Amino acid sequence: MPDIIRLLPDSIANQIAAGEVIQRPASAVKELMENAVDAGASNIQVIVKDSGKSLIQVIDDGSGMTETDARMSFERHATSKIRTAEDLFVIRTMGFRGEALASIAAVAQVEMKTRTADSELGTLLLIEGSEVKKQEPVAAPKGTSIAVRNLFFNVPARRNFLKSNPVEMKHIIEEFQRTALANPEIEFSLYHNDLEVYNLKKGKLSHRIIGLFGKQYREQLAVCREETPVMNVRGYLGKPEFSKKTRGEQFFFVNKRYIKNAYLNHAVKIGYENLIPDDCHPFYVLFIDIDPRHIDVNVHPTKTEIKFDDERTVYGIIKSAVRQSLGAHNIAPSLDFSHNANIHVNLDTGEVLSRDFSTRQDYYDEKAALLKTEKDRNNRLNWDRIYEFTNPSLERSGIQHDWNKKDEGIEVRLSSAANDMPDAKNEFEAGQTRMTFQVQNKYIVATVKSGLLLVDQQSAHERILYEKYMSALAHKPAASQQALFPETIELNPVDFTLALDLKPEIEAVGFVFDIFGKNSIIVHGTPVELEGENIKKAFEGLIEQYKLNKSELSLNKRESMARAMAKQTSIKAGKALTGEEMNSLIDQLFACANPNYDPNGKLTFAILDTEKIDGFLNR
Ligand code: ADP
Ligand code: MG
């Protein structure tokens, strides 16, 4: 039998490697930005077109490369960043595998211009699918510019696999944010389709955060700082009330390298314990400085995963740092945190020993208890209000009732009564006046043929609006009301891109808007349901709810939009309604294709027939 094993040609080996390193335009953005940082640049410009699908260009004013280095840089395993195996364990640069440029050049058309400070002419290199097409001297500023065109032009399967422009742009913006956060001493700018997305001056980390996420973050940041013999933690935490339903805007950097680590994320969340609801996520930007010997960054080609040799200690220190920071900022009433209380780590067991750790635990227990009493008190307040509304005469006469108890009893039976799905459409008698009233400003009660109809006003309205918006999205756009004073809204770049992509859907549900400068839109018209409401809040709420529906329920565009709008514009529990409004709501509900459930699958109504009423009263 002849020998059959052969070495793969470089171009194929590079393409295979590219599959690991370059998954989408954002990966190329990340690698090119990191190279620019490693080259000591003080200004880095990122230019993309079509969410990076047609162009990604990164221009830096760093060291530049000699002619030979320029050529070498595209070879696989060509790197200037490690020389000996020992170097691997003390990596401080972003790159070191020497794979990025080779991988990018294997799957795109790349043009590099580069010049070092001490040479007069620079080098121009054109490479397409790993093949050098041109190499010649060129006049160029000091530094390096790399333009990557038509990514995956020669790997159609990959190119077809790319997501929509807003999704790819979201990934690019996220990579940009990570690199920009890790390097506030460098100026960065980002342009998409000739529109400026970011233009960041150099400065402190807090300025960088505000530059990236918006002015409203200024008031919301709490400093977090902890120094221990094992590692240092520094950065900022968002105040608890600033937490959001959608995850994101959570950044961990280890030795300036962005990492994803669910375990450490959990440590932060636990640090916030009791201060934010379970389904909310805090904002944070935290930097861990640790001796590179205690970590292994080499576990994943895209290098966002990392191994610590002692993860439990790192966890404990972070949790404790977060608690201390929130306490020290009086975000939670501070008991006896001493501001520079050092955390003592037992290096043998990894246990975190802090001298007031037990006090802190006590404090959090107490905080939990406090929150609970607060809740009870609020509940009581509500009950007082109901008592006042429904029984003014009783109140005046001073008769005391345990309304709380009584109502709980009824509620239990009502939910069981709702199990057999009633068909309420036959319950209304033509021409008969329907008696209605509201309970707790939450439920509508109406008299019907067989007894009492109980409607959850918010669920019912969400159902009505959901069907209306679904039909608006399918064929006939919803009515829009021209705004008296058009409002400009500044969005974050991710939401801005999303809003532009969703323009047809957003307009179908009644918002009319145009681009209005950098990351801004101007809203000329709003859905009629939003009359008198804060436009900015409603629009932002819509985008937020849309993202939540999309990510958590994986709904399609229309579903996500219709549900988000229904939720955003519905009558909420707590709103007092007139008799006319109640009747109209009931009529509209039963005109729905599926009146029984709201879009979240909750029952919209139940019928309490005479039989059940008899049961309650033991007849
Ligand atoms: P790595 O960053 O892992 O070393 P890359 O393929 O990203 O591998 O880059 C290869 C080499 O090319 C780098 O080690 C560096 O010497 C050089 N290089 C890449 N980009 C730049 C740049 N923007 N400025 C200067 N040198 C660069
Ligand atoms: Mg690199």
Side-chain angles (χ1 to χ4, degrees):
M1 182 174 145
D3 299 334
I4 49 171
I5 298 179
R6 255 170 286 167
L7 278 177
L8 285 176
D10 270 356
S11 59
I12 297 186
N14 284 341
Q15 250 195 43
I16 295 170
E20 292 213 315
V21 185
I22 307 298
Q23 284 138 357
R24 51 173 16 128
S27 340
V29 170
K30 168 183 190 277
E31 295 294 340
L32 296 176
M33 287 181 78
E34 288 186 351
N35 281 347
V37 170
D38 284 344
S42 54
N43 180 298
I44 299 172
Q45 246 176 294
V46 182
I47 299 165
V48 297
K49 298 233 158 103
D50 298 324
S51 301
K53 291 172 186 171
S54 53
L55 175 75
I56 297 162
Q57 184 173 16
V58 175
I59 305 169
D60 70 60
D61 60 355
S63 63
M65 280 174 267
T66 64
E67 192 186 341
T68 318
D69 279 353
R71 183 67 178 260
M72 270 295 282
S73 68
F74 288 100
E75 296 292 329
R76 202 141 58 92
H77 306 309
T79 178
S80 55
K81 299 166 195 173
I82 46 173
R83 290 183 191 275
T84 67
E86 182 54 25
D87 289 348
L88 256 183
F89 300 99
V90 288
I91 294 281
R92 289 274 181 190
T93 51
M94 291 295 122
F96 58 87
R97 292 171 151 255
E99 282 179 318
L101 288 187
S103 300
I104 294 171
V107 293
Q109 297 152 342
V110 178
E111 181 190 283
M112 176 197 273
K113 277 187 204 165
T114 184
R115 183 172 74 81
T116 59
D118 52 8
S119 63
E120 263 173 36
L121 270 186
T123 306
L124 168 78
L125 255 174
L126 280 183
I127 303 189
E128 240 183 75
S130 299
E131 225 179 283
V132 180
K133 297 277 180 184
K134 195 191 244 177
Q135 174 166 5
E136 60 187 34
V138 70
K142 181 204 155 220
T144 305
S145 154
I146 299 182
V148 176
R149 295 200 168 79
N150 305 319
L151 190 67
F152 301 133
F153 78 104
N154 53 353
V155 202
R158 280 248 153 193
R159 197 164 168 93
N160 295 337
F161 199 66
L162 293 179
K163 297 275 166 52
S164 68
N165 281 349
V167 173
E168 293 301 340
M169 195 57 204
K170 176 170 174 271
H171 288 288
I172 290 177
I173 290 170
E174 282 170 358
E175 291 296 354
F176 180 92
Q177 289 175 338
R178 293 167 188 170
T179 312
L181 275 175
N183 301 281
E185 71 291 350
I186 300 176
E187 284 176 3
F188 287 92
S189 54
L190 172 64
Y191 295 85
H192 183 214
N193 294 337
D194 298 324
L195 286 175
E196 179 184 295
V197 180
Y198 282 123
N199 191 350
L200 306 165
K201 299 284 158 258
K202 63 178 175 191
K204 291 195 288 200
L205 175 61
S206 54
H207 295 158
R208 182 54 46 98
I209 292 175
I210 292 160
L212 283 169
F213 302 111
K215 290 189 283 294
Q216 70 276 22
Y217 281 66
R218 191 170 292 143
E219 309 297 311
Q220 296 295 346
L221 301 176
V223 182
C224 181
R225 187 173 266 280
E226 193 71 74
E227 288 177 12
T228 77
V230 184
M231 61 180 235
N232 297 335
V233 183
R234 65 190 167 85
Y236 289 92
L237 302 169
K239 296 188 180 169
E241 66 271 23
F242 201 50
S243 62
K244 288 189 178 155
K245 286 253 162 109
T246 42
R247 202 189 282 274
E249 303 189 343
Q250 302 188 321
F251 300 88
F252 258 121
F253 297 88
V254 173
N255 297 348
K256 290 181 94 177
R257 186 187 297 281
Y258 172 81
I259 60 145
K260 280 189 193 138
N261 188 315
Y263 186 61
L264 298 191
N265 178 51
H266 190 259
V268 178
K269 189 85 201 258
I270 293 295
Y272 273 84
E273 205 177 27
N274 295 331
L275 295 174
I276 53 175
D278 272 349
D279 59 345
C280 281
H281 308 284
F283 170 88
Y284 62 82
V285 179
L286 290 175
F287 288 83
I288 297 172
D289 293 313
I290 188 167
D291 184 335
R293 266 174 262 266
H294 292 305
I295 54 173
D296 179 5
V297 288
N298 212 1
V299 289
H300 193 270
T302 57
K303 293 170 292 189
T304 53
E305 275 154 38
I306 192 174
K307 270 197 199 141
F308 295 90
D309 59 10
D310 183 357
E311 216 172 25
R312 281 191 49 220
T313 302
V314 177
Y315 182 97
I317 293 174
I318 289 173
K319 180 176 80 176
S320 187
V322 169
R323 284 190 175 175
Q324 179 149 323
S325 160
L326 297 177
H329 285 82
N330 231 348
I331 287 160
S334 174
L335 284 187
D336 57 353
F337 297 129
S338 85
H339 281 225
N340 9 324
N342 268 329
I343 296 172
H344 305 288
V345 180
N346 180 334
L347 290 172
D348 297 327
T349 61
E351 205 183 330
V352 179
L353 316 158
S354 173
R355 64 165 174 272
D356 38 23
F357 205 75
S358 58
T359 340
R360 229 171 270 173
Q361 194 49 57
D362 290 349
Y363 156 64
Y364 276 96
D365 292 347
E366 185 165 320
K367 174 79 187 168
L370 248 157
L371 280 177
K372 200 177 161 293
T373 2
E374 179 93 338
K375 218 173 126 209
D376 290 349
R377 204 170 59 90
N378 284 343
N379 279 348
R380 254 204 319 279
L381 283 181
N382 283 343
W383 284 114
D384 290 349
R385 219 183 50 195
I386 279 163
Y387 181 75
E388 200 178 295
F389 270 122
T390 50
N391 295 286
S393 53
L394 285 184
E395 193 182 37
R396 252 178 275 125
S397 65
I399 299 173
Q400 294 294 318
H401 254 272
D402 195 352
W403 291 96
N404 208 337
K405 240 197 194 118
K406 210 167 208 171
D407 198 86
E408 266 167 17
I410 291 184
E411 227 160 44
V412 173
R413 289 195 228 182
L414 272 191
S415 48
S416 68
N419 284 343
D420 33 318
M421 217 52 273
D423 181 7
K425 286 185 188 176
N426 316 322
E427 286 288 344
F428 304 117
E429 270 162 321
Q432 247 208 10
T433 12
R434 204 191 292 146
M435 297 281 294
T436 59
F437 61 91
Q438 243 178 326
V439 178
Q440 258 185 303
N441 281 349
K442 185 174 174 194
Y443 299 108
I444 300 169
V445 182
T447 49
V448 289
K449 260 198 264 178
S450 63
L452 288 176
L453 169 71
L454 302 161
V455 177
D456 179 315
Q457 66 191 47
Q458 181 168 344
S459 284
H461 201 210
E462 275 191 40
R463 160 55 55 189
I464 296 163
L465 292 168
Y466 169 76
E467 292 197 3
K468 173 186 152 172
Y469 290 124
M470 276 308 268
S471 118
L473 286 158
H475 38 269
K476 54 172 192 331
S480 173
Q481 185 155 287
Q482 200 170 353
L484 219 45
F485 305 101
E487 186 153 346
T488 58
I489 304 178
E490 196 183 325
L491 298 166
N492 69 49
V494 173
D495 291 352
F496 179 72
T497 324
L498 182 65
L500 292 193
D501 183 62
L502 288 175
K503 199 163 191 282
E505 285 79 17
I506 296 177
E507 299 208 321
V509 297
F511 279 104
V512 186
F513 71 98
D514 286 305
I515 301 184
F516 192 73
K518 180 178 163 186
N519 297 326
S520 296
I521 57 165
I522 182 159
V523 180
H524 308 287
T526 56
V528 282
E529 288 78 18
L530 284 177
E531 197 184 338
E533 306 255 336
N534 182 325
I535 298 178
K536 181 170 161 12
K537 247 175 98 184
F539 194 91
E540 287 171 349
L542 172 66
I543 296 281
E544 187 69 12
Q545 190 62 43
Y546 176 88
K547 287 194 292 190
L548 204 63
N549 292 349
K550 210 73 198 140
S551 67
E552 301 210 333
L553 308 169
S554 331
L555 301 173
N556 65 31
K557 258 190 195 181
R558 276 186 191 171
E559 274 273 343
S560 303
M561 181 58 67
R563 281 203 196 190
M565 269 307 278
K567 178 137 197 171
Q568 197 60 33
T569 55
S570 64
I571 291 170
K572 304 292 180 299
K575 185 172 173 12
L577 301 173
T578 64
E580 204 178 330
E581 286 169 334
M582 288 188 258
N583 272 309
S584 146
L585 198 79
I586 293 172
D587 290 338
Q588 288 181 59
L589 176 65
F590 293 108
C592 281
N594 182 6
N596 298 42
Y597 297 97
D598 74 7
N600 309 309
K602 286 200 216 119
L603 285 174
T604 50
F605 71 91
I607 287 182
L608 199 55
D609 58 25
T610 21
E611 213 172 290
K612 281 170 195 141
I613 298 174
D614 288 345
F616 287 146
L617 301 172
N618 295 330
R619 295 292 182 279

